[in-house]
Amino acid sequence: MKITGAEIIIESLKREGVRHLFGYPGGVVLNIFDLLYDNKDIQLILTRHEQGAIHAADGYARATGKAGVALVTSGPGATNTVTGIATASMDSIPLVVLSGQVPTMLIGNDAFQEADIVGITRPCTKYNFLVKDVKDLSRTIKEAFHIATTGRPGPVLIDLPKDVTSNKTEFVWPETDIRSYKPTYEGNKWMITNAAHQIAKAKKPVIIAGGGVIISGASKELRELAEHAEIPVTMTLMGLGGFPGTHDLSLGMLGMHGTYYANMAVQDSDLLIAIGMRFDDRVTGKIEAFAPHAKIVHIDIDPTSIRKNVRVDVPIVGDVKRVLTVLNKVLKEEVKEQWGEVRKAWLKQISAWKAERPMSYTWSDEEIKPQFVVEKIHELTKGDAIITTEVGQNQMWAAQFFKYDKPRTFLSSGGLGTMGYGFPAAIGAQLAFPNKLVIDIAGDGSIQMNIQELATAVIYKLPVKVAILSNRYLGMVRQWQELFYNERYSYSHLDVIPDFVEVAQAYRAVGLRATKPSEVEPVLREAFKIQKPVFMEFVVNWKEKVYPMVPAGAPIDHMLFEEPEKKEKKLKAVK
Amino acid sequence: MRHTISVLVENKFGVLSRISGLFSGRGYNIESLSVGETIDPQISTMTIVTTGDDWVIEQITKQLNKLIDVIKVVDMKELEHVEREMVLVKVAPRQQDKAEVLNLAEIFRGRIVDSSQKTYTIEITGDEKKIEAFIELMKPMGIKEFVRTGKVAIAREGMKKKG
Ligand SMILES: Cc1cc2nc3c(=O)[nH]c(=O)nc-3n(C[C@H](O)[C@H](O)[C@H](O)COP(=O)(O)OP(=O)(O)OC[C@H]3O[C@@H](n4cnc5c(N)ncnc54)[C@H](O)[C@@H]3O)c2cc1C
Ligand SMILES: Cc1ncc(C[n+]2csc(CCOP(=O)(O)OP(=O)(O)O)c2C)c(N)n1
């Protein structure tokens, strides 16, 4: 029996196990929307902006590990997804984006609402397709999911001309075999053995765990490696949660806003074991001065990540989970422990660094410190929550003062740094985990970039919580201007911010506000009890800065800290 | 260093722009690029001449390999191979130089493919050195314009990998 392209799309999505789509309608996708009207298997979440839809699909993907799916119309609908596609691409997040297109006959004619979205998204997708013949449709959808979710994951866009959704053909669900796409999963055994010997020999090893650990689902294997070989673990922003933040061997995050002890350990190390991370410049600082004494073992599924930014002594191309499984086996069965005493000295040095400069901030009795809010969230949730972030200071404090023990509980736009990501991403994550506490840690600037999605959260009864660290500034920009531009706060003051409590109420959500430190805990407790979306505005000290900070382009052990006179006050204030 | 990279790609819509977009997006040079079908009409070969140090060339080959439509990437530096390029040179020699132009074309095994009252168009095929040498010799004769095809390259049969 012949069925329409739109029917093929729905059937293919079902076969891929898709239960939720995020989207927004328009002329050329109406054939598909019409089928969704009474479809029992697939629910569409109607967001209030296509950027909201794409970030929500991304949040859904990061929280579950499955592909997030978005459906939008041609032209402006499609171009509105570009920021979200680039966000997912930079962080290796699997998405399948279905965009409507004008009928094949009209393509290239500057037709109404035509945009060359395949051309526009070519550099920010893992792959994209324009389907010109309904006969190619099911195979294309299958390939899109395959490409998005395997190897190094990423977003894939499928452009669907309107006539392709109405033309008919027989439905076939083909096998996929893309001869030119064969990711490498198994690491080279000889290289892995080489790495094991380096680990056995090393006096000051450090593991740097990145987003690849989370993508690969390799937290267990990573922990086994760290505990067995007694190696401290630092994480990139994207790696947070890949190794328990509360573990004794955890050094927290490294890099520009990393901990003192993580950066010191990396710089002093004689062996870096880089696992599923890509040596971003926020991580390495000045590249020539990065880890000058260290040999580098680098495990990554994408050969282009290896030797892109730093020299590598032992390159291992493969999937983290599989490589670590073999590495752990080799360490236990072939290499055997040789490091006992040597490691003690190294771990002692690390404890000394931890004691010398722990993560801290100056307490105030009068004004709310943003770090305090994040700490309280961690304390009250006991770490059992999914945290999303916006971008800026809020994001860094969320990374520094909440300890992530589980993978897929910290969702943040790392590579692109997209303000406006966190709130829709929280909505996507909440949809995937209706019973989890999902909290967006936000800035008062960023939250306004996709604030319209509050309607989505209310309508679909997704009780996300938004903790707005309200400083009336584009805080991270202001921080740079204070430190590097002589306090010339050029266009970083927000002047007017809306009354977030009233905004929440206007959308039929709940708004709460805290202006004093003593109000922080009660506001959080109340919000966590409410089964509705809640905006919490924490009016925080606007001068607060994110520390430690490595100025852009400096080596990562050249860190700035809070000024000493403030430190003294802290000693007096904190019991 | 200059490298000739041979890339086997799926003969699909948009592949050329994926490759050229990779080069422009990442700031790599393309000195020349030529594309053509292979014996299997579903596959094309692109021959790309690019420059860069070892790090850059390594990234270029890895990035090319990463593209979904790329089947195989070969840096010709690693193989014994034959390279050829064709150039069409239009010269407008003075009367007293005409014989010399024809003579040089002959020596370079060129062919006159067009001639007019004032000009000759000469077709020369060869490796880079030969083409460059011919162009150098023609310069004093009054080159009006020339067009190069860009290089194509193929591995020699039965030869081992270099090094
Ligand atoms: C304001 C701001 C400040 C920032 N400050 C910092 C900072 O101080 N410190 C910091 O670390 N980051 C910081 N970042 C984030 C930074 O920009 C990068 O996003 C981050 O460092 C990249 O993390 P990653 O290297 O783990 O790479 P990801 O982008 O997570 O990449 C994952 C890597 O793993 C590989 N991979 C994927 N799947 C697998 C698999 N199955 N097996 C093996 N490998 C796999 C991929 O090929 C890739 O190389 C900041 C961002 C912003 C916006
Ligand atoms: C879409 C977008 N535009 C601009 C920037 C540059 N930028 C980075 S941080 C920042 C300020 C963020 O301000 P806010 O959301 O109030 O957070 P805060 O830093 O105050 O916590 C800006 C403008 C960005 N990351 N994303």
Side-chain angles (χ1 to χ4, degrees), chain A residues 90-92 151-153 210-212 215-216 236-239 253-258 276-280 282-283 300-302 305 318-320 391 395-396 413-415 417:
Chain A
M90 287 292 267
D91 291 344
S92 307
R152 178 179 185 167
I215 292 167
S216 174
T236 65
L237 184 78
M238 299 308 295
M253 184 171 79
L254 82 162
M256 178 176 273
H257 292 296
M277 56 84 66
R278 57 187 174 82
F279 292 102
D280 186 272
R282 294 267 147 141
V283 167
D300 203 292
I301 202 161
D302 180 353
S305 287
D319 170 54
V320 170
V391 168
Q395 178 184 31
M396 292 299 109
S413 166

Side-chain angles (χ1 to χ4, degrees), chain B residues 132-148:
Chain B
E132 300 282 333
F134 184 74
I135 290 171
E136 275 315 301
L137 287 170
M138 282 300 118
K139 272 186 187 159
M141 306 290 160
I143 294 186
K144 283 190 70 176
E145 60 178 301
F146 62 81
V147 190
R148 303 173 67 152

Side-chain angles (χ1 to χ4, degrees), chain A residues 333-346:
Chain A
E333 291 171 12
E334 293 173 36
V335 178
K336 306 269 169 53
E337 185 187 347
Q338 308 170 15
W339 47 78
E341 283 308 305
V342 190
R343 217 56 114 233
K344 281 205 184 91
W346 178 228

Side-chain angles (χ1 to χ4, degrees), chain A residues 214-504:
Chain A
I214 290 165
I215 292 167
S216 174
S219 299
K220 194 174 126 262
E221 291 74 12
L222 171 61
R223 186 168 176 166
E224 193 181 323
L225 170 67
E227 288 178 348
H228 174 68
E230 296 176 78
I231 308 174
V233 181
T234 178
M235 284 157 274
T236 65
L237 184 78
M238 299 308 295
L240 292 175
F243 184 79
T246 53
H247 197 290
D248 275 348
L249 287 169
S250 169
L251 301 173
M253 184 171 79
L254 82 162
M256 178 176 273
H257 292 296
T259 64
Y260 171 70
Y261 33 98
N263 287 352
M264 294 304 281
V266 166
Q267 289 300 81
D268 200 39
S269 156
D270 65 353
L271 180 70
L272 291 180
I273 305 138
I275 309 181
M277 56 84 66
R278 57 187 174 82
F279 292 102
D280 186 272
D281 47 271
R282 294 267 147 141
V283 167
T284 60
K286 185 179 181 181
I287 207 102
E288 306 81 54
F290 178 71
H293 318 294
K295 286 206 163 172
I296 300 181
V297 173
H298 194 177
I299 305 168
D300 203 292
I301 202 161
D302 180 353
T304 70
S305 287
I306 294 176
R307 273 164 57 83
K308 179 165 63 182
N309 302 330
V310 300
R311 76 211 134 73
V312 172
D313 302 279
V314 186
I316 303 174
V317 176
D319 170 54
V320 170
K321 194 183 177 88
R322 300 204 202 177
V323 171
L324 290 190
T325 304
V326 179
L327 179 62
N328 286 332
K329 200 158 176 269
V330 174
L331 275 172
K332 283 181 184 163
E333 291 171 12
E334 293 173 36
V335 178
K336 306 269 169 53
E337 185 187 347
Q338 308 170 15
W339 47 78
E341 283 308 305
V342 190
R343 217 56 114 233
K344 281 205 184 91
W346 178 228
L347 293 176
K348 210 170 132 208
Q349 169 66 65
I350 287 187
S351 304
W353 281 323
K354 282 188 176 175
E356 187 186 345
R357 283 189 187 272
M359 282 306 297
S360 66
Y361 60 92
T362 310
W363 171 257
S364 158
D365 287 326
E366 293 88 47
E367 284 182 302
I368 301 177
K369 288 303 179 80
Q371 302 92 329
F372 173 65
V373 178
V374 177
E375 251 179 13
K376 265 288 163 206
I377 294 175
H378 183 251
E379 184 191 314
L380 296 180
T381 60
K382 303 190 184 65
D384 185 17
I386 296 176
I387 304 293
T388 71
T389 77
E390 300 297 337
V391 168
Q393 295 180 313
N394 57 85
Q395 178 184 31
M396 292 299 109
W397 288 318
Q400 294 175 328
F401 290 92
F402 192 104
K403 305 261 177 294
Y404 302 90
D405 281 337
K406 297 213 183 80
R408 303 196 179 282
T409 57
F410 176 70
L411 319 183
S412 189
S413 166
L416 201 67
T418 307
M419 292 170 69
Y421 168 80
F423 184 38
I427 290 175
Q430 186 80 77
L431 186 77
F433 293 101
N435 300 321
K436 274 234 156 194
L437 188 54
V438 181
I439 307 165
D440 173 29
I441 295 181
D444 46 1
S446 298
I447 190 62
Q448 295 186 67
M449 286 218 175
N450 273 317
I451 202 162
Q452 76 286 348
E453 298 308 329
L454 192 46
T456 313
V458 169
I459 290 164
Y460 293 93
K461 300 197 165 50
L462 298 168
V464 293
K465 310 292 179 274
V466 183
I468 304 170
L469 306 176
S470 187
N471 53 15
R472 294 193 167 257
Y473 274 96
L474 300 172
M476 186 56 96
V477 173
R478 195 204 64 77
Q479 171 164 346
W480 282 58
Q481 289 170 334
E482 178 181 333
L483 296 174
F484 311 117
Y485 290 88
N486 287 322
E487 301 181 42
R488 287 159 54 82
Y489 299 130
S490 179
Y491 300 98
S492 56
H493 188 232
L494 290 171
D495 293 308
V496 174
I497 54 170
D499 182 324
F500 290 110
V501 174
E502 284 181 13
V503 169

Side-chain angles (χ1 to χ4, degrees), chain A residues 16 127 129 137-150 156 158 173-178 181, chain B residues 12 68:
Chain A
E16 285 295 339
Y127 198 65
F129 299 88
L137 196 47
S138 57
R139 184 183 47 78
T140 303
I141 295 173
K142 189 145 192 231
E143 287 185 0
F145 276 88
H146 177 66
I147 292 171
T149 53
T150 54
V156 176
I158 309 176
W173 192 235
E175 290 299 310
T176 38
D177 177 44
I178 309 172
Y181 174 68
Chain B
K12 276 191 202 157
I68 308 279

Side-chain angles (χ1 to χ4, degrees), chain A residues 199-211:
Chain A
I199 290 171
K201 264 200 326 225
K203 295 197 171 62
K204 304 171 178 181
V206 176
I207 291 172
I208 308 180

Side-chain angles (χ1 to χ4, degrees), chain A residues 122 179-180 302 306-307, chain B residues 10 17 58 62 66 68:
Chain A
R122 200 169 280 134
R179 64 176 157 184
S180 54
D302 180 353
I306 294 176
R307 273 164 57 83
Chain B
E10 294 287 350
S17 73
E58 180 179 332
K62 284 174 168 182
K66 184 173 163 179
I68 308 279

